[in-house]
Amino acid sequence: MIMPKVVDHEEQRRRIADAAVAAIGESGLDRVRLVDVARAADATTGTLTHYFDGKDALLAAALDRVAERLLEGMERFQGCDLIEMASFALPLGEPERREWRVWLSFWGRAIWSPELAAVHNRYYERLRELLAEDVRRAQSRGEINAAVDPGDAADAVIAAVDGVGVRASLDPEGWPAPKQAELLETLLEPLLAPPTEITPRRKTR
Amino acid sequence: MIMPKVVDHEEQRRRIADAAVAAIGESGLDRVRLVDVARAADATTGTLTHYFDGKDALLAAALDRVAERLLEGMERFQGCDLIEMASFALPLGEPERREWRVWLSFWGRAIWSPELAAVHNRYYERLRELLAEDVRRAQSRGEINAAVDPGDAADAVIAAVDGVGVRASLDPEGWPAPKQAELLETLLEPLLAPPTEITPRRKTR
Amino acid sequence: MIMPKVVDHEEQRRRIADAAVAAIGESGLDRVRLVDVARAADATTGTLTHYFDGKDALLAAALDRVAERLLEGMERFQGCDLIEMASFALPLGEPERREWRVWLSFWGRAIWSPELAAVHNRYYERLRELLAEDVRRAQSRGEINAAVDPGDAADAVIAAVDGVGVRASLDPEGWPAPKQAELLETLLEPLLAPPTEITPRRKTR
Amino acid sequence: MIMPKVVDHEEQRRRIADAAVAAIGESGLDRVRLVDVARAADATTGTLTHYFDGKDALLAAALDRVAERLLEGMERFQGCDLIEMASFALPLGEPERREWRVWLSFWGRAIWSPELAAVHNRYYERLRELLAEDVRRAQSRGEINAAVDPGDAADAVIAAVDGVGVRASLDPEGWPAPKQAELLETLLEPLLAPPTEITPRRKTR
DNA sequence: TATGAATGAGCATTCATTCAT
DNA sequence: AATGAATGAATGCTCATTCAT
């Protein structure tokens, strides 16, 4: 069987989009130029236009990649303790901080761009579903008060992670990993506590 | 007695910075041009450079103004119920949504600009202090469990507001005012609840 | 007798023109701004326009001042040995180097500006006259061969000084004072030598 | 064998630099705009930035070209009588006057720019070497007094040419070709005269 | 496919000049 | 006379996009 010499179009797109993420993480969304992306992808700007209809499309693809990876990260921790799982979405280490920088940069653009906003909302929907599923599972195991609406709980987790993540991203020095985790716990523990006579879980860390 | 020559320099700076906020709110931080600000300030670009050392300095001043106003907004509600007060910081109406758009746009830049990050962090510090004060007051009135650390509670409120605000800003249609308020309540109520028989556990660290 | 409160207009013009010379000497003719001159004159740009019709006129006045001072410098050494006198016009020390920088900067402009060229040529005429006078005097004292045309000799001195001065201005490190003086001597000594038995060759053309 | 892709990068740079020289010769160094150069090079300003890092770099390249051509001009006359050769470096005709205008304009800038000064000094060094070589040759033929130091003689020629050239450039009307040549002769003939019975005075310093 | 030369609109910035006080 | 706020034309530079090879 002869492998076609031509490159896999989709694979190339993904490769370039990843390069864009890297380039954005390097110099910021506002400052990134097409040549920066090209350089990061080991290609030329001309090549980029073969695969994307202009810069906006490329950036949208980059956002998509980030969202995809964030989601995959969450999926890996499915089944774990919910708060623990959520905390892994925080910018605890340098690689995560990097992804957060990119992710956060896109917020400011998404407000003005329906296309980017759509990517964000699609991601939030999937994440919410994923989390709600976990909540339901935990409730069936009696670990979370059954009175809590799984969707609401998921939204709460999302908001808590975003809120803590923003703060930590803007002041990385002031927010080392433990401090972030603690704040997340402070916010979510009462909500996701087991429906006992209210003995909140002991802190393990 | 100071006899100002012709114009009050500081007043002009403020006026122009406010115009910048308006312009950013109109077209977005990335797309705003100096002429847009000038137009909004009823001036020319040349005038802007009289008062600011270039575009970056002007944008930083704009961020300062937004932060100032957000803080002032919070101060107005001091003494009210904490959750109620916090909810007034959410993008519930169009004017607030506008401010949030600007505020949020700056996050993406602040990550790459120490100057902007400093403005943000300064604001967060002051906000935290203000909220912590309120928490202490509520505790002294017995409205909040005395075991809760006021600073931690303040951080929690900030994170919750930011988290909900981001979500609502990215999807204004999907997050009408009541839904925002509910999510905020879901997040904060257990934490800031009166010290019923259910004593939330003390923090160990 | 009442001294009028009003400033001496001419005196002010001179003061400002001198400030312009200083400012040019600081940052170069191309880069000097009106505000720089104003600052150097301890005035504001508005004041400058009271005394000069725009930047060009001010610069022309500055050139005039430099020429004036160069000429005055030469006059002080009148009567001395001609070569010695000429060498005092070279950029031997820092203050002279400074004047030369300004003077030289104007050459590039004078080429394109009849006004500035006129200042230069006027200065050259006066300098030539002054030098020719000295040559005549030296000839009458028998110190210079009488066959030499005083005007030609003056032109030769001017050219020699300019030629050496340019070289030294472009490479101050490579042309310390003694080296400049030597080259000037090499160029002028044979010409301005006493009328020894060696009759300088007759001009053929 | 090198197969140039599409255009010869260096060739293009030279073409543009030459266009810059032409543009400077047209309107002067101070007034020349990037668009003028672009127009002269039959290109756009954008193209210029492909080949040069901004205006300064382009101007420096232009200076380099002028120096190159001046040197080439001198090389063509190598072996001729030295004074005759030197006189060909003077602004005798319109094309030479043009080159001189450009060359002279750069003097005023080089004072403030180490980069430009370096170009000038490099050129002077090469020219000095070339002239000194010629002097040595003439000495071996007995045409120039062997007591004269070739390097010093070369410096003298350079200074004389520069001195006369400046004067002529500032007042082209007053300095027709013959007058320039005569002054040059007046300055250099005694120095470069054949070693007749008249021993040139020994250097004292 | 891929390259990179070329384009040119867009924009911040500079700065001489004007003018009301 | 002097100030300095305001103007706005001028211009270098950036960079996404196009296109011939």
Side-chain angles (χ1 to χ4, degrees):
Chain A
M1 180 183 151
I2 292 165
M3 278 297 284
K5 260 216 300 244
V6 294
V7 252
D8 180 342
H9 199 78
E10 276 313 306
E11 167 58 23
Q12 274 287 61
R13 280 176 62 92
R14 220 171 309 129
R15 219 177 57 79
I16 292 171
D18 280 337
V21 175
I24 295 166
E26 201 63 42
S27 45
L29 183 55
D30 311 307
R31 242 165 271 172
V32 85
R33 296 168 302 164
L34 238 25
V35 287
D36 297 327
V37 177
R39 199 143 30 214
D42 201 31
T44 63
T45 59
T47 303
L48 303 195
T49 61
H50 271 284
Y51 293 97
F52 295 95
D53 288 349
K55 193 184 190 183
D56 284 347
L58 173 54
L59 292 182
L63 175 58
D64 228 7
R65 290 294 294 160
V66 178
E68 201 63 47
R69 287 204 294 233
L70 286 175
L71 218 50
E72 280 170 10
M74 296 303 285
E75 274 165 357
R76 261 203 304 281
F77 294 102
Q78 239 175 346
C80 299
D81 171 71
L82 211 70
I83 295 183
E84 206 177 334
M85 174 185 168
S87 73
F88 279 110
L90 292 174
L92 301 177
E94 186 46 36
E96 292 84 12
R97 255 201 294 277
R98 198 187 184 79
E99 297 253 298
W100 262 89
R101 283 201 293 261
V102 178
W103 183 243
L104 210 155
S105 295
F106 273 109
W107 284 351
R109 292 245 171 153
I111 293 172
W112 311 97
S113 154
E115 285 78 24
L116 295 182
V119 177
H120 269 111
N121 293 327
R122 204 160 47 232
Y123 159 78
Y124 275 129
E125 252 170 67
R126 288 173 59 192
L127 180 56
R128 190 181 120 114
E129 208 41 67
L130 192 147
L131 289 168
E133 189 57 46
D134 258 37
V135 171
R136 269 189 290 272
R137 240 186 321 237
Q139 286 177 323
S140 72
R141 286 199 303 265
E143 289 169 16
I144 292 181
N145 191 324
V148 172
D149 176 75
D152 289 356
D155 281 334
V157 171
I158 291 173
V161 168
D162 278 349
V164 176
V166 166
R167 192 82 184 277
S169 293
L170 289 176
D171 182 17
E173 312 279 307
W175 287 85
K179 194 173 171 189
Q180 294 180 47
E182 272 171 34
L183 178 53
L184 190 74
E185 220 173 304
T186 302
L187 272 163
L188 295 180
E189 199 159 57
L191 185 69
L192 304 180
T196 53
E197 350 28 280
I198 312 133
T199 334
R201 290 196 307 147
R202 188 147 346 164
K203 245 199 213 152
T204 41
R205 267 207 275 173
Chain B
M1 176 182 149
I2 293 165
M3 187 53 187
K5 264 286 155 60
V6 183
V7 292
D8 181 340
H9 199 79
E10 277 312 306
E11 168 59 23
Q12 276 287 65
R13 278 177 64 92
R14 223 172 306 131
R15 218 178 57 78
I16 291 170
D18 280 336
V21 175
I24 294 167
E26 202 64 42
S27 43
L29 184 55
D30 314 305
R31 239 163 282 169
V32 84
R33 296 166 305 161
L34 237 24
V35 285
D36 297 327
V37 177
R39 201 138 35 211
D42 201 30
T44 63
T45 60
T47 303
L48 303 195
T49 63
H50 262 288
Y51 293 97
F52 296 95
D53 289 349
K55 194 183 188 183
D56 283 348
L58 173 53
L59 292 182
L63 176 59
D64 227 7
R65 289 298 292 161
V66 177
E68 201 62 47
R69 288 204 296 230
L70 286 175
L71 217 50
E72 280 171 10
M74 295 304 284
E75 274 166 356
R76 262 203 303 283
F77 294 103
Q78 237 173 349
C80 299
D81 170 68
L82 210 70
I83 295 184
E84 205 179 335
M85 175 186 167
S87 72
F88 278 110
L90 292 173
L92 302 176
E94 185 45 37
E96 291 85 11
R97 253 199 297 276
R98 197 188 184 79
E99 297 253 298
W100 262 88
R101 282 200 294 260
V102 177
W103 183 244
L104 208 154
S105 296
F106 272 109
W107 283 349
R109 291 242 173 158
I111 294 173
W112 310 100
S113 154
E115 285 79 24
L116 297 182
V119 177
H120 270 110
N121 293 327
R122 206 160 45 231
Y123 158 79
Y124 275 128
E125 253 170 67
R126 290 174 58 193
L127 181 57
R128 191 182 120 110
E129 208 41 67
L130 193 147
L131 290 168
E133 191 56 46
D134 258 38
V135 170
R136 271 189 288 270
R137 243 190 315 243
Q139 286 175 324
S140 71
R141 285 199 304 266
E143 290 169 18
I144 291 181
N145 191 321
V148 172
D149 176 76
D152 289 356
D155 282 333
V157 171
I158 290 173
V161 168
D162 278 349
V164 176
V166 167
R167 193 80 186 278
S169 293
L170 289 176
D171 183 17
E173 313 278 310
W175 287 84
K179 193 173 171 188
Q180 294 180 47
E182 271 169 37
L183 177 53
L184 190 73
E185 220 174 302
T186 302
L187 273 163
L188 295 179
E189 199 159 56
L191 185 70
L192 305 179
T196 54
E197 53 293 356
I198 311 125
T199 338
R201 282 213 304 137
R202 193 159 349 209
K203 254 223 199 115
T204 40
R205 261 212 270 182
Chain C
M1 180 183 153
I2 294 166
M3 277 297 284
K5 259 216 302 246
V6 293
V7 253
D8 180 341
H9 200 78
E10 276 314 306
E11 168 59 23
Q12 274 287 63
R13 279 177 62 92
R14 220 171 311 129
R15 221 178 55 79
I16 291 171
D18 280 336
V21 175
I24 294 167
E26 201 63 42
S27 44
L29 184 56
D30 313 305
R31 246 166 267 172
V32 85
R33 296 168 303 163
L34 239 24
V35 287
D36 296 327
V37 177
R39 202 152 18 223
D42 203 30
T44 62
T45 59
T47 304
L48 303 196
T49 61
H50 271 285
Y51 292 97
F52 295 95
D53 288 350
K55 192 184 190 182
D56 284 346
L58 174 53
L59 292 182
L63 176 58
D64 228 7
R65 290 294 294 158
V66 177
E68 202 63 46
R69 287 204 294 232
L70 286 175
L71 218 48
E72 280 171 10
M74 296 303 285
E75 275 165 357
R76 260 203 304 282
F77 294 102
Q78 238 173 346
C80 299
D81 172 68
L82 211 71
I83 296 183
E84 205 178 336
M85 174 185 168
S87 72
F88 280 109
L90 292 173
L92 301 177
E94 186 46 36
E96 292 84 12
R97 256 201 294 278
R98 198 187 184 80
E99 296 254 300
W100 262 89
R101 283 201 292 262
V102 178
W103 182 244
L104 210 154
S105 297
F106 272 109
W107 284 351
R109 289 243 173 156
I111 294 173
W112 311 98
S113 153
E115 286 79 23
L116 296 182
V119 177
H120 269 110
N121 293 328
R122 205 161 47 232
Y123 159 78
Y124 274 129
E125 254 169 66
R126 289 173 58 192
L127 180 56
R128 192 182 119 109
E129 208 40 67
L130 192 146
L131 290 169
E133 190 56 46
D134 258 36
V135 171
R136 269 189 291 271
R137 243 189 316 242
Q139 285 175 325
S140 71
R141 285 198 304 265
E143 290 169 15
I144 293 182
N145 192 321
V148 172
D149 177 74
D152 289 356
D155 282 334
V157 172
I158 292 173
V161 169
D162 279 350
V164 176
V166 167
R167 193 83 185 278
S169 293
L170 289 176
D171 183 17
E173 312 278 307
W175 288 84
K179 193 171 171 189
Q180 294 180 46
E182 272 170 37
L183 178 52
L184 191 73
E185 220 174 302
T186 302
L187 272 163
L188 295 179
E189 201 159 56
L191 185 70
L192 304 180
T196 54
E197 53 293 355
I198 311 122
T199 338
R201 288 209 292 155
R202 194 150 347 181
K203 244 198 214 155
T204 40
R205 269 203 269 179
Chain D
M1 177 183 150
I2 292 166
M3 192 43 192
K5 263 287 157 57
V6 183
V7 292
D8 181 339
H9 199 79
E10 277 312 307
E11 168 58 24
Q12 277 286 67
R13 277 176 65 92
R14 222 172 308 132
R15 218 178 58 77
I16 292 171
D18 280 336
V21 175
I24 294 166
E26 201 63 42
S27 43
L29 184 55
D30 314 306
R31 239 162 280 168
V32 83
R33 297 167 302 163
L34 238 25
V35 286
D36 297 327
V37 178
R39 199 137 38 210
D42 201 31
T44 63
T45 60
T47 302
L48 303 194
T49 61
H50 262 289
Y51 293 97
F52 296 95
D53 288 351
K55 194 183 188 182
D56 283 347
L58 174 52
L59 292 182
L63 176 59
D64 226 8
R65 289 297 292 161
V66 178
E68 203 62 48
R69 287 204 296 229
L70 286 175
L71 218 50
E72 280 171 11
M74 295 303 285
E75 275 166 356
R76 261 203 304 281
F77 294 103
Q78 237 173 347
C80 299
D81 171 68
L82 211 71
I83 296 184
E84 205 178 335
M85 175 184 168
S87 73
F88 279 111
L90 293 173
L92 301 177
E94 186 45 37
E96 292 85 10
R97 254 200 295 278
R98 197 188 185 78
E99 297 253 299
W100 263 88
R101 282 200 294 262
V102 177
W103 184 243
L104 209 155
S105 296
F106 273 108
W107 283 350
R109 291 243 173 158
I111 294 172
W112 310 100
S113 153
E115 284 79 23
L116 296 182
V119 177
H120 270 110
N121 293 328
R122 207 160 43 231
Y123 159 77
Y124 274 128
E125 252 171 69
R126 288 173 59 192
L127 180 56
R128 192 182 119 110
E129 210 39 69
L130 193 146
L131 290 169
E133 191 56 46
D134 260 34
V135 170
R136 269 190 289 270
R137 241 188 317 239
Q139 285 175 323
S140 70
R141 286 198 304 264
E143 290 168 16
I144 292 181
N145 190 323
V148 172
D149 177 75
D152 289 356
D155 282 334
V157 172
I158 291 172
V161 168
D162 278 350
V164 176
V166 166
R167 194 81 184 279
S169 293
L170 288 176
D171 182 16
E173 313 279 308
W175 287 84
K179 193 172 171 189
Q180 293 180 47
E182 272 169 38
L183 178 52
L184 191 72
E185 220 173 302
T186 302
L187 272 162
L188 296 180
E189 198 158 59
L191 185 71
L192 304 180
T196 53
E197 52 295 357
I198 310 121
T199 337
R201 287 210 290 157
R202 193 147 347 174
K203 248 202 211 146
T204 41
R205 266 205 272 180

